[in-house]
Amino acid sequence: METKQLLSGFKEIFGKDGDRIFFSPGRINLIGEHTDYNGGKVFPCAITMGTYAAVSMREDQSIQAYSENFPNDGIITFDLSTIQYKKGDKWTNYLKGMVRYIQEKYGELPNGFDIYIYGNIPNGASLSSSASLELLTGVVVRELFDLEIEQLDLVKLGMRTENEFLGLNSGILDQFAVGMAEKAHAMLLDTNTLEYEQIPVELPEHKILIMNSMTRRELVDSEYNLRRKQCEEALAKLQTVLSIESLGALSEETFEANKAVIGDDVLTRRAKHAVYENKRTERAAEALKAGDLKTFGQLMNKSHTSLHEDYEVTVKETDLLVRLAWKQPGVVGARMTGGGFGGCCIAIVEQDAVEDFIENVEAAYLAEIGHPGEIYIAETADGTKEWDLA
Ligand code: GLA
């Protein structure tokens, strides 16, 4: 996206000049899925697909928001002092939640602003378009009003927006990845302590591909909340015999030795995924640091199998994409990424094999599913920030 284009969009809609530009990335999670609300590790990086904003101050107390992606919604206006969730306000709810919680914590804003948004993260594709918009809003507000807010605090407010404003009991993975990322790195984050390490993702001979199934199941949010509840139930059972605070505290051995206490097949499989996936994530990050891409890829594959068999958050389309990927020459590993129930998968592929990979997987996917998928080459990005217009 050209900043010029963004500014001319702003002018056309608001009839005046926008004077500042911000960018917030999307994310892929390399491994560590459904571990973040279980006190486990995640290993995401931010990507150059993201959400842009052009903004300018207003003199009154209202925020006027327009998205180039949803032109039919027109300009959505709301007042700083009466911010409430409204289903009909769709995408602006992310923005509203952030503004409301920032005001709650850091005081009322003196005036509103106009914001023109454009995003190129496919919606509902599990690439965190919502966290991208939340952090974008947070950074816009902080910079416009010179507030002293740490990026990590915006990350936490983003999660709060998701949990309390939107009602999705998600963990901190998405907001953390979007807010804290460094280009050419993935973050090994301990979601229990929020300690993290930026690990270089230098793959001179490989590409990370994003395979979009172009499908998303209904009821994603309620299925997601159910998975979380099931993990909590399994944890409560384990806590009758073990003194642990989260599933992330368990080794595979301790889990195996004590799992009988859970007494339910579904709950046991959910907990097993959380425990094993956490350990896989630690090992995968070690492997990447040691330049052992082969092991990394094998762990990605195991992660997918576990998400398919034990956690049951894959669907026909994402399973097919991953199975097709596994069969291609030059593939190091592949798995679904994000919450699941549709959305995207990722694959690490030798550079020379990328072209054939894309052609083969796209053709076979279309033939079997009946509608096309999309494959993109992922480039890593920095976390949310203002762009210098000079
Ligand atoms: C969604 C949630 C995250 C995380 C992932 C699964 O993206 O927003 O918090 O739980 O699913 O790893």
Side-chain angles (χ1 to χ4, degrees):
M1 181 68 169
E2 291 281 330
T3 53
K4 254 201 243 150
Q5 230 175 306
L6 205 60
L7 290 172
S8 77
F10 184 100
K11 188 157 192 179
E12 197 176 308
I13 294 299
F14 294 110
K16 59 176 185 175
D17 288 326
D19 37 28
R20 297 171 78 165
I21 296 242
F22 297 80
F23 174 73
S24 188
R27 68 100 188 87
I28 49 177
N29 191 18
L30 298 178
I31 190 164
E33 220 64 83
H34 289 277
T35 47
D36 64 344
Y37 50 83
N38 284 309
K41 309 276 194 319
V42 294
F43 196 38
C45 58
I47 53 174
T48 50
M49 291 169 129
T51 320
Y52 299 78
V55 293
S56 143
M57 286 286 201
R58 293 181 64 82
E59 286 179 0
D60 63 12
Q61 299 291 302
S62 75
I63 293 184
Q64 304 217 349
Y66 177 90
S67 168
E68 197 174 314
N69 300 80
F70 301 101
N72 293 338
D73 294 348
I75 298 178
I76 296 189
T77 303
F78 57 94
D79 198 85
L80 285 176
S81 58
T82 52
I83 296 181
Q84 260 167 18
Y85 174 83
K86 258 204 240 149
K87 200 166 179 215
D89 283 355
K90 298 177 224 164
W91 60 272
T92 39
N93 282 313
Y94 298 100
L95 206 144
K96 288 199 282 182
M98 282 304 281
V99 175
R100 171 154 153 191
Y101 295 139
I102 290 176
Q103 290 195 115
E104 259 178 48
K105 194 156 174 206
Y106 301 94
E108 274 172 35
L109 301 179
N111 51 271
F113 53 91
D114 294 321
I115 178 165
Y116 180 95
I117 291 171
Y118 165 77
N120 58 10
I121 308 175
N123 276 324
S126 58
L127 300 176
S128 291
S129 57
S130 43
S132 179
L133 181 54
E134 286 153 10
L135 267 293
L136 181 72
T137 308
V139 172
V140 162
V141 171
R142 177 183 68 198
E143 299 303 317
L144 282 187
F145 299 98
D146 281 327
L147 304 177
E148 301 247 327
I149 314 179
E150 298 279 337
Q151 193 89 343
L152 185 59
D153 288 317
L154 292 178
V155 165
K156 291 178 185 166
L157 292 181
M159 181 169 115
R160 185 169 168 210
T161 296
E162 208 71 61
N163 297 167
E164 292 176 28
F165 211 70
L166 281 303
L168 179 73
N169 294 328
S170 51
I172 203 159
L173 162 65
D174 304 346
Q175 290 78 14
F176 195 96
V178 165
M180 307 300 284
E182 274 176 29
K183 194 180 159 93
H185 291 75
M187 293 148 274
L188 178 65
L189 168 69
D190 180 335
T191 60
N192 197 26
T193 59
L194 294 190
E195 275 170 25
Y196 68 103
E197 187 186 347
Q198 296 279 4
I199 298 176
V201 188
E202 280 155 10
L203 307 177
E205 285 154 22
H206 295 81
K207 294 278 178 210
I208 303 175
L209 302 185
I210 300 174
M211 306 182 284
N212 188 351
S213 69
M214 307 295 282
T215 49
R216 184 169 197 260
R217 287 291 166 276
E218 302 272 300
L219 302 175
V220 174
D221 289 7
S222 57
E223 284 288 345
Y224 182 95
N225 288 347
L226 175 63
R227 292 299 179 286
R228 181 167 187 160
K229 196 166 146 269
Q230 289 169 331
C231 287
E232 285 162 2
E233 280 174 37
L235 174 66
K237 290 276 168 59
L238 288 163
Q239 282 170 329
T240 61
V241 292
L242 293 168
S243 108
I244 47 163
E245 284 189 7
S246 68
L247 295 175
L250 285 176
S251 66
E252 291 115 322
E253 294 75 26
T254 314
F255 174 74
E256 292 299 335
N258 292 279
K259 68 180 183 188
V261 74
I262 301 174
D264 176 278
D265 172 56
V266 172
L267 297 188
T268 305
R269 285 189 289 117
R270 303 296 189 251
K272 179 182 172 202
H273 168 78
V275 171
Y276 280 67
E277 179 77 354
N278 180 39
K279 294 297 166 197
R280 272 193 289 273
T281 306
E282 289 171 2
R283 287 180 197 125
E286 282 311 314
L288 194 67
K289 271 204 242 175
D292 180 0
L293 209 52
K294 188 163 172 233
T295 301
F296 191 86
Q298 286 164 350
L299 290 162
M300 287 174 78
N301 298 347
K302 284 192 180 147
S303 164
H304 185 82
T305 304
S306 174
L307 288 158
H308 171 62
E309 289 175 2
D310 289 332
Y311 219 66
E312 296 181 282
V313 292
T314 67
V315 293
K316 183 176 76 183
E317 290 86 348
T318 48
D319 279 322
L320 176 65
L321 280 174
V322 169
R323 272 190 286 115
L324 290 171
W326 284 345
K327 281 197 246 158
Q328 303 307 313
V331 71
V332 172
R335 57 181 292 276
M336 59 152 267
T337 192
F341 305 105
C344 287
C345 305
I346 53 171
I348 300 184
V349 181
E350 280 171 20
Q351 197 149 328
D352 297 341
V354 165
E355 216 174 293
D356 287 347
F357 179 101
I358 295 180
E359 209 180 299
N360 295 345
V361 173
E362 282 187 347
Y365 185 78
L366 175 62
E368 194 159 335
I369 298 295
H371 68 76
E374 286 181 357
I375 301 185
Y376 330 106
I377 296 179
E379 305 285 349
T380 61
D382 283 332
T384 313
K385 61 182 180 188
E386 180 161 13
W387 275 11
D388 199 350
L389 275 181

